[in-house]
Amino acid sequence: MEVYNPFGIYVDETNSVLYVTNANGNTAAEWPFNSSTGTFLVGNTNVTAGSNLTMLNYSLDITFDSYGNMFVVDCRNHRIQMHYSLNRNEVITIIGNGKGTDSTHLNCPSGIAFDSNFNLYVVDLNNHRL
């Protein structure tokens, strides 16, 4: 597996796994510690961008909640995707309803994080806001 502009990273020390977003590859992958190969989790393995629920377009960040749900920042689709922990094929858009400036839209989100109370924070790059 090759990476094209790896961007976001999440370290799971408990399970010895590194998660990486592959911005120009339009994917997210997991890499076990001390391994030279990773496994695609989300996106198209031929690096094609897309806009349906299981595709990404310039994936910039990744994080997990305490339930093991994976959240991926999908910049050029202007959304945050949540992949359920028990079934990575079940995906919902939790934030972002296309490109825009109001409270239901994003314009190239680039970062994501949870605080200790499980509040979700999103960096909305081109709208210059959190």
Side-chain angles (χ1 to χ4, degrees):
M1 178 175 77
E2 293 183 41
V3 292
Y4 303 94
N5 194 16
F7 207 91
I9 189 169
Y10 181 87
V11 178
D12 179 351
E13 292 184 69
T14 303
N15 296 305
S16 301
V17 177
L18 180 69
Y19 296 89
V20 178
T21 57
N22 188 15
N24 286 332
N26 306 300
T27 59
E30 66 179 356
W31 296 71
F33 289 4
N34 301 317
S35 175
S36 61
T37 59
T39 303
F40 286 108
L41 296 174
V42 182
N44 192 330
T45 57
N46 69 7
V47 305
T48 304
S51 61
N52 68 28
L53 283 177
T54 61
M55 300 285 286
L56 299 169
N57 189 348
Y58 209 65
S59 49
L60 291 184
D61 203 3
I62 189 168
T63 195
F64 287 78
D65 66 14
S66 60
Y67 300 103
N69 298 310
M70 180 174 68
F71 297 78
V72 179
V73 175
D74 190 6
C75 175
R76 293 184 181 149
N77 284 323
H78 313 287
R79 64 188 181 186
I80 307 299
Q81 299 294 88
M82 182 178 106
H83 301 263
Y84 286 96
S85 63
L86 297 177
N87 180 359
R88 294 272 191 250
N89 293 323
E90 189 174 349
V91 183
I92 62 170
T93 300
I94 61 160
I95 303 170
N97 187 19
K99 184 178 178 180
T101 59
D102 66 30
S103 62
T104 64
H105 293 83
L106 298 170
N107 189 351
C108 194
S110 61
I112 188 171
F114 285 98
D115 68 13
S116 60
N117 293 316
F118 305 109
N119 295 303
L120 180 65
Y121 295 89
V122 175
V123 176
D124 191 5
L125 182 68
N126 290 335
N127 281 328
H128 312 285
R129 65 184 180 189
L130 296 176

